[in-house]
């Protein structure tokens, strides 16, 4: 079993839709959780960094962590074609960060 | 504010050769982590360096080695290249913390192709 599981998609939505991206994890030691956006052939770009359970909002993005169910979510409001990318979730409890395989998102104009 | 930079951008090598990849961390950062990202996969942790020493290592063979310099820049060396080493190699920098890795910022990566 992978430490971080993520549906690879692809997920296709119309412009303006609310997007929900999800991950599950198995490592109980994880305390910090991250979402990165990666465009094709580029390095990952940090979107959200959260500690333990709860919600964090930044503009159109909201990250949720539920440690009791080991579930991580990212919501994107008013999605734009420029949001089309691969979204990576990750967790860390020490120096090692474990990533999911990424979900490909397509936002159609 | 300079972000994370990596060189070279692309590299083509043949099996059995050795390669060195370079990384300069974001200004003010002192910790460097290296990742391997195969096509269609998430980044996999190779190792992390702080104060010129390896702090933690992922599940990679000894063919993968690294170095950190006093100016916090870092190198990743891979010996005896295999076809399966073809991937995007990512460097990420962060500020040191005692027991965990703080927010990491990634460079653009070096795409290595092994023929």
């Amino acid at each position: 079993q992978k430490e971080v599981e993520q549906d690879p998609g692809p997920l296709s939505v119309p412009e303006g839709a609310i997007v929900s991206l999800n991950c599950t994890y198995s490592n109980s030691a994880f305390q910090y959780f991250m979402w990165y956006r990666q465009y094709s052939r580029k390095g990952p770009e940090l979107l959200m960094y959260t500690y333990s359970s709860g919600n964090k909002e930044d503009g159109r993005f909201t990250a949720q962590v539920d440690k009791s169910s080991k579930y991580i979510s990212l919501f994107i409001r008013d999605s734009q074609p420029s949001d089309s990318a691969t979204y990576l979730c990750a967790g860390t409890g020490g120096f090692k960060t474990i990533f999911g395989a990424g979900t490909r998102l397509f936002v159609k104009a | 504010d300079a972000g994370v930079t990596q060189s070279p951008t692309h590299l083509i090598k043949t099996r059995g050769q050795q390669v060195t990849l370079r990384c300069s961390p974001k200004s003010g950062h002192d910790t460097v982590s290296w990742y391997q990202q195969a096509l269609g996969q998430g980044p996999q942790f190779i190792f992390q360096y702080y104060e010129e020493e390896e702090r933690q290592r992922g599940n990679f063979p000894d063919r993968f080695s690294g170095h950190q310099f006093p100016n916090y820049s870092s190198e990743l060396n891979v010996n005896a290249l295999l076809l399966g080493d073809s991937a995007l190699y990512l460097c990420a920098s962060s500020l040191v913390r005692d027991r965990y890795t703080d927010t990491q910022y990634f460079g653009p990566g070096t795409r290595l192709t092994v023929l």
Side-chain angles (χ1 to χ4, degrees), chain A residues 2-3 6 8 31-32 34 36 38 40-46 48-49 51 86 88-89 92-102, chain B residues 10 33 35 37 39-45 48 55-59 88 90 97-109 111:
Chain A
K2 292 183 179 180
E3 288 187 81
Q6 191 173 6
Q31 293 188 43
Y32 298 89
M34 292 132 278
Y36 285 86
Q38 186 173 27
S40 181
R41 296 183 171 272
K42 303 290 185 184
E45 171 194 7
L46 180 68
M48 303 290 277
Y49 182 90
Y51 171 70
T86 296
L88 299 159
C89 63
T92 183
F95 303 136
K96 184 177 178 180
T97 300
I98 305 298
F99 283 82
Chain B
H10 296 90
S33 301
Y35 294 82
Q37 187 176 26
L39 201 60
Q41 300 296 317
Q44 287 196 51
F45 177 80
Q48 183 180 94
R55 281 181 117 186
Q56 188 165 5
R57 189 180 184 91
N59 296 325
L88 181 67
L90 295 162
R97 295 290 181 254
D98 283 343
R99 292 184 298 277
Y100 69 96
T101 295
D102 203 346
T103 311
Q104 293 181 89
Y105 293 88
F106 281 84
R111 185 160 297 280

Side-chain angles (χ1 to χ4, degrees), chain A residues 5 19 23 29 39 43 45 50 53 56 61 70-71 77 79-81 87 93 95 98-99 103-104 106:
Chain A
E5 298 273 6
V19 176
C23 290
Y39 293 111
E45 171 194 7
T50 57
S53 285
K56 182 175 182 179
F61 299 92
K70 294 187 174 66
Y71 201 78
R77 291 181 297 280
S79 57
Q80 303 295 310
Y87 288 79
F95 303 136
I98 305 298
F99 283 82
T103 299
R104 293 195 68 189
F106 294 96

